[in-house]
Amino acid sequence: MKILVTGATGYIGKRLIPLLLNDGHTIICPVRDLKRAENYFKNREKIILVEADFLDSKSIEKIPTDIDFAYYLIHSMTNSAREFHVLEEKCALNFKRFAEKSNIKQVIYLSGITNDTKLSKHLLSRKNVENTLSSEKYALTTFKAGIIVGSGSSSFEIIRDLVEKLPAMIAPKWLNTKTQPLAIRDVLSFLHNSLNKKEVFNKSFDIFGPEILTYKEMLLQFAEVRKLKRWILTVPVMTPKLSSYWLYFVTSTSYKLASSLVNSMGVEVIGNKSDINKILNVNPMTYKEAVALAFKKIEQNSIISSWKDSYISSGKLKNYVHEFINVPEFGCFKDYKKRKLKDREKALNKIWAIGGETGWYYGTFLWKIRGFLDQFFGGAGLRRGRRHPTELNAGDALDFWRVIYADKEKGKLLLYAEMILPGEAWLEFKIEGNYLYQTATFRPTGIAGRLYWYVVMPFHWFVFNGMINNINK
């Protein structure tokens, strides 16, 4: 069958698509950034990529209409200057108009549990999207999940940061809020098994794990799995803003996402029981089992998708990495280094392992200071790390950089700075012939940008020299 998967490059989409491909289906993926998606899905048969944005009704016309089923996985967790709920409703409405003109028999939508009388803005928006997607032309199946537990998920990584970094915590009172965490593997089972299942047509189901836990209990159980002793004291004095800053400085999340999560975490997320587990033959695992499974994936370097690679974690890029692929020349400062290659393969492997736990090969202390300063002023800092120790794709987060271009065969890696800067910066590694080239480019904004360059230039001389020398060892 032909299946449309929206949100194909997102956390859920990238994990669902392989399951559908294994069944022999052809997958249509409308993506906002074709260049980025091509890296994710290269060497995959039966995937048709279409550059389209559901906020732009004209671009949707490129999507073929001979589609049998569709997954609606579009979701925003950002606090946009424009009201995100308006954008989400517009996306849903444009999708519905397209779906009603196509051959789609069933739309499967992943939402959030919305049973509390006092819902956050994001959960209210999720509920509104469900109402918008409802149609007489196709069957709508809605699954509502709470906290999703899996390697690379935002909730998992935030809990991991808190547990592994803080032996004792003075935490906000919302840690006593109850929820029903669900493993990512079980979420995918619900989505996968519901395809063309008439028993779930035009129905909505809450999906959840077998336990009701507070966030505090989740932190303590996580610590047990990791064999760590942790102490938590909750206090009622932390305002939502203070709580957001607390999450931002302790964990790898961005402030925008921290703020969105804090607003949602005050809402009790308890699902209504149904027979959906029996209908779809899904037996959800416990929270501890989900955490243990996630760490198996981490140990095997098998993290398929991570929230950090989403543009939600970016302070600068919004949708398109390829807009930054042409490094400017005019009005720029450059730090240019060239070395005769000693071992091409060894140098390439070092370039593709840069950042994260590997570090930047020279001046680690200076990199950490720069990361701390960036975080202090609201940037990503070095907290995001990298999804995989040796693989890089366009769109991946890499500490406070974003991968713009990565082609190991051609020997080129281009990074764009997402740190707080009075200007824009690129870092390029390139191997041509017998030479290794390393170029740092900075396009300043005003006098502040020029002053910044001259202030850091002495540090750049040491750091960039040491970096290329160690890569070429």
Side-chain angles (χ1 to χ4, degrees):
M1 296 181 290
K2 282 189 178 180
I3 301 173
L4 179 75
V5 178
T6 64
T9 58
Y11 181 75
I12 302 292
K14 282 165 70 176
R15 294 173 182 240
L16 176 65
I17 286 171
L19 300 178
L20 300 173
L21 288 174
N22 287 342
D23 292 340
H25 302 304
T26 297
I27 312 302
I28 314 296
C29 301
V31 294
R32 289 178 296 182
D33 190 344
L34 198 58
K35 296 290 183 185
R36 182 189 185 201
E38 283 171 348
N39 279 278
Y40 286 140
F41 302 118
K42 61 186 175 185
N43 304 323
R44 286 278 197 178
E45 294 181 359
K46 293 195 171 184
I47 285 188
I48 300 171
L49 297 174
V50 183
E51 193 162 83
D53 185 346
F54 282 95
L55 286 172
D56 178 4
S57 56
K58 288 188 177 179
S59 72
I60 302 172
E61 294 172 4
K62 303 174 189 174
I63 305 172
T65 55
D66 58 334
I67 295 168
D68 301 299
F69 299 90
Y71 285 91
Y72 191 83
L73 304 175
I74 297 172
H75 183 31
S76 169
M77 278 295 286
T78 58
N79 283 331
S80 172
R82 297 169 65 187
E83 288 292 337
F84 70 89
H85 68 271
V86 175
L87 301 181
E88 287 207 326
E89 184 177 19
K90 185 177 180 181
C91 275
L93 192 57
N94 284 336
F95 173 87
K96 178 180 178 177
R97 287 169 178 163
F98 163 79
E100 288 182 337
K101 293 177 183 176
S102 72
N103 299 327
I104 292 174
K105 302 178 186 70
Q106 178 194 22
V107 172
I108 301 167
Y109 166 51
L110 181 61
S111 182
I113 293 175
T114 55
N115 298 327
D116 201 300
T117 53
K118 186 182 177 183
L119 296 176
S120 68
K121 288 183 179 179
H122 282 280
L123 287 174
L124 280 172
S125 180
R126 299 279 76 202
K127 198 171 185 178
N128 183 49
V129 167
E130 180 185 0
N131 294 333
T132 303
L133 290 175
S134 181
S135 172
E136 294 181 0
K137 297 288 182 68
Y138 56 77
L140 177 65
T141 300
T142 302
F143 292 112
K144 299 179 179 182
I147 295 292
I148 295 175
V149 184
S151 56
S153 74
S154 57
S155 55
F156 176 87
E157 294 297 338
I158 287 169
I159 290 172
R160 182 184 180 184
D161 280 342
L162 291 172
V163 170
E164 296 187 353
K165 290 178 180 177
L166 301 176
M169 300 176 220
I170 298 175
K173 64 180 180 180
W174 50 254
L175 252 65
N176 294 319
T177 303
K178 293 177 181 178
T179 185
Q180 287 180 283
L182 180 65
I184 179 62
R185 179 174 291 188
D186 294 324
V187 174
L188 295 173
S189 295
F190 282 115
L191 293 173
H192 183 214
N193 296 357
S194 62
L195 188 69
N196 200 21
K197 195 86 170 177
K198 290 186 171 57
E199 294 96 319
V200 300
F201 280 15
N202 293 313
K203 291 181 181 179
S204 176
F205 302 93
D206 291 348
I207 53 175
F208 43 85
E211 307 149 298
I212 296 176
L213 301 172
T214 65
Y215 289 104
K216 181 178 178 179
E217 288 170 331
M218 287 171 64
L219 288 165
L220 293 173
Q221 286 195 21
F222 193 103
E224 285 179 36
V225 174
R226 301 296 287 156
K227 295 180 171 58
L228 297 168
K229 285 284 185 182
R230 292 297 181 257
W231 292 267
I232 303 171
L233 174 66
T234 56
V235 293
V237 294
M238 277 198 188
T239 64
K241 194 163 189 177
L242 276 174
S243 296
S244 301
Y245 279 119
W246 178 70
L247 275 184
Y248 169 68
F249 280 111
V250 176
T251 72
S252 57
T253 184
S254 66
Y255 178 76
K256 286 183 178 180
L257 183 56
S259 181
S260 297
L261 289 170
V262 166
N263 288 332
S264 298
M265 284 173 171
V267 179
E268 204 167 78
V269 183
I270 306 298
N272 291 326
K273 291 182 180 180
S274 68
D275 56 354
I276 189 60
N277 292 7
K278 186 177 179 181
I279 292 171
L280 299 182
N281 193 28
V282 181
N283 185 26
M285 65 182 73
T286 66
Y287 176 68
K288 281 187 176 180
E289 288 172 333
V291 171
L293 179 63
F295 274 101
K296 281 185 182 177
K297 294 292 182 184
I298 292 168
E299 288 162 8
Q300 296 165 1
N301 295 321
S302 301
I303 304 176
I304 297 171
S305 57
S306 170
W307 77 272
K308 296 173 186 177
D309 295 331
S310 163
Y311 292 121
I312 291 171
S313 75
S314 170
K316 292 186 176 183
L317 296 180
K318 299 304 177 190
N319 296 325
Y320 305 100
V321 294
H322 67 263
E323 290 179 2
F324 297 85
I325 201 165
N326 296 315
V327 182
E329 297 288 336
F330 181 74
C332 293
F333 296 109
K334 288 184 182 285
D335 185 287
Y336 176 77
K337 301 283 185 288
K338 176 183 175 182
R339 298 289 186 271
K340 190 167 184 179
L341 272 174
K342 293 181 179 179
D343 185 323
R344 174 186 165 86
E345 193 64 27
K346 192 175 179 181
L348 264 178
N349 288 336
K350 282 187 175 182
I351 291 169
W352 252 252
I354 202 165
E357 292 185 9
T358 303
W360 293 81
Y361 299 120
Y362 190 84
T364 301
F365 181 67
L366 293 172
W367 282 100
K368 286 182 177 179
I369 290 175
R370 184 63 183 88
F372 173 77
L373 290 172
D374 187 60
Q375 185 180 344
F376 182 80
F377 287 102
L382 299 177
R383 303 167 299 159
R384 296 186 305 188
R386 48 183 294 157
R387 177 184 56 84
H388 191 281
T390 58
E391 291 178 4
L392 289 174
N393 291 308
D396 283 0
L398 178 57
D399 289 337
F400 46 36
W401 301 87
R402 179 75 61 173
V403 178
I404 301 299
Y405 181 88
D407 191 322
K408 202 169 184 180
E409 289 182 12
K410 293 181 180 178
K412 181 178 176 180
L413 175 67
L414 179 63
L415 309 176
Y416 177 77
E418 293 191 319
M419 63 194 85
I420 302 297
L421 285 170
E424 294 180 294
W426 290 257
L427 181 60
E428 181 184 62
F429 299 95
K430 184 169 61 176
I431 291 177
E432 287 184 348
N434 295 322
Y435 288 92
L436 167 64
Y437 301 89
Q438 175 187 286
T439 308
T441 303
F442 179 65
R443 179 163 62 184
T445 301
I447 296 173
R450 286 162 174 78
L451 287 173
Y452 171 84
W453 177 261
Y454 289 118
V455 167
V456 299
M457 192 161 40
F459 301 102
H460 281 177
W461 191 88
F462 286 105
V463 170
F464 289 139
N465 261 312
M467 185 161 64
I468 193 171
N469 289 337
N470 286 333
I471 288 172
N472 197 40
K473 271 187 177 179

